[in-house]
Amino acid sequence: MSLILIEQKDGVFTIRFNRTDKKNALTQAMYVDLCAALEQARTDPQTRVLLFAGQPDCFSAGNDMKDFLSVPATSGADYPTVKFMSLLSEFSKPVVAAPCGIAIGIGVTLLLHCDLVYCGEQTTLNMPFVNIGIRPEFVSSYLLPRIMGHVRACELVLLGESFTAQKALEYGLVNALAPNAEVEALAREKALTIAKLPPHAVRSTKALLKRWRADVTREAIPLEMGQVAESLQHPEAMEAITAFMQKRKPDFSRFT
């Protein structure tokens, strides 16, 4: 069974996370498949819009920690996570997402690189980077303060607490909410609307809207990933991840 499903219909190329038994936690092998799907969507002349989806009860629980630790993280362009981030951040066609149920880690930060986001009302979002002793990723250190302001970004990233779809809407992370069972249909409707518009005008408009942050994005992806890789070797991260695996509360009292 493929863990990444793709479908092209009516100009909309859908990428669906399909590892339901693990709450769509992403592995490096899945990132490789995601990169291949993005390349296919990028070069397919029939594709006008890209749509990310999961299931009504889960979008993505983030990176699979066991798999993530088994393959040393790097900031290199060939590292699957970095390659995926670069391809998505530079994707020239409109990107729509329908997060639903659970969105954690990369399940949230990839939304920062989508052009339209429609979220299920009963969705819990979380960016627990600091909680596990690592750093924010996927240009979130730049884009979150830009979208919502410094103090709100600090609230979500430093505290690392779960937040609701309603807060995601209030903070500007998503465009609109809909019932979980209906949100993908809403996102697809918007994608189909865009797919019927003049394609060159659409792509040119997106390019203009993203132009002013393009250089920062290219710099931030390897910079952040380099710090993530470095932090994984730090005792703080080892304690946090070990505690996560052992399902206990981490103890950071000995660190200065």
Side-chain angles (χ1 to χ4, degrees):
M1 179 183 69
S2 177
L3 304 182
I4 299 295
L5 302 179
I6 61 173
E7 177 189 40
Q8 205 280 6
K9 184 179 180 182
D10 299 327
V12 178
F13 191 104
T14 302
I15 296 178
R16 186 181 307 280
F17 305 125
N18 190 46
R19 195 186 180 204
T20 55
D21 60 321
K22 297 295 183 180
K23 298 182 179 179
N24 292 336
L26 300 181
T27 64
Q28 290 305 302
M30 291 170 71
Y31 277 115
V32 171
D33 289 344
L34 284 168
C35 290
L38 287 174
E39 289 281 18
Q40 182 178 340
R42 181 182 68 84
T43 58
D44 177 19
Q46 301 303 313
T47 293
R48 301 286 187 90
V49 183
L50 179 67
L51 172 63
F52 279 103
Q55 292 77 38
D57 63 343
C58 186
F59 185 60
S60 174
N63 288 316
D64 183 306
M65 290 307 300
K66 288 184 179 179
D67 178 84
F68 195 62
L69 294 173
S70 69
V71 182
T74 75
S75 59
D78 292 332
Y79 182 60
T81 305
V82 172
K83 185 175 181 180
F84 166 75
M85 291 177 177
S86 297
L87 286 171
L88 180 56
S89 66
E90 297 179 5
F91 198 78
S92 63
K93 301 171 185 179
V95 181
V96 182
C100 205
I102 298 171
I104 299 174
I106 190 74
V108 178
T109 58
L110 78 79
L111 304 178
L112 303 175
H113 300 272
C114 297
D115 303 297
L116 295 172
V117 180
Y118 299 93
C119 187
E121 292 172 341
Q122 300 301 315
T123 299
T124 299
L125 303 92
N126 188 280
M127 291 181 286
F129 305 116
V130 173
N131 304 51
I132 57 173
I134 63 173
R135 314 288 194 272
E137 34 100 285
F138 211 175
V139 202
S140 57
S141 62
Y142 169 71
L143 292 175
L144 285 172
R146 186 172 183 265
I147 290 169
M148 64 187 64
H150 178 76
V151 295
R152 285 180 166 181
C154 285
E155 174 194 352
L156 298 186
V157 177
L158 282 181
L159 294 177
E161 297 173 342
S162 296
F163 57 100
T164 64
Q166 287 73 21
K167 178 171 280 192
L169 178 65
E170 178 187 348
Y171 283 14
L173 283 174
V174 305
N175 292 88
L177 308 181
N180 283 28
E182 301 172 15
V183 72
E184 185 178 332
L186 172 61
R188 187 172 300 278
E189 176 189 336
K190 300 298 183 180
L192 288 169
T193 297
I194 296 174
K196 296 174 183 177
L197 297 173
H200 179 69
V202 167
R203 293 194 301 272
S204 298
T205 299
K206 172 172 176 170
L208 283 170
L209 290 170
K210 295 191 69 175
R211 177 177 179 175
W212 316 110
R213 73 187 198 204
D215 290 343
V216 176
T217 296
R218 294 189 191 100
E219 179 184 359
I221 289 174
L223 175 64
E224 289 175 341
M225 280 304 300
Q227 293 205 18
V228 168
E230 180 183 347
S231 65
L232 285 170
Q233 307 304 315
H234 196 281
E236 288 181 354
M238 295 177 185
E239 164 61 17
I241 294 170
T242 300
F244 174 80
M245 299 294 188
Q246 296 175 350
K247 298 182 179 179
R248 62 173 173 82
K249 188 174 181 179
D251 180 9
F252 301 118
S253 61
R254 70 182 185 275
F255 299 114
T256 59

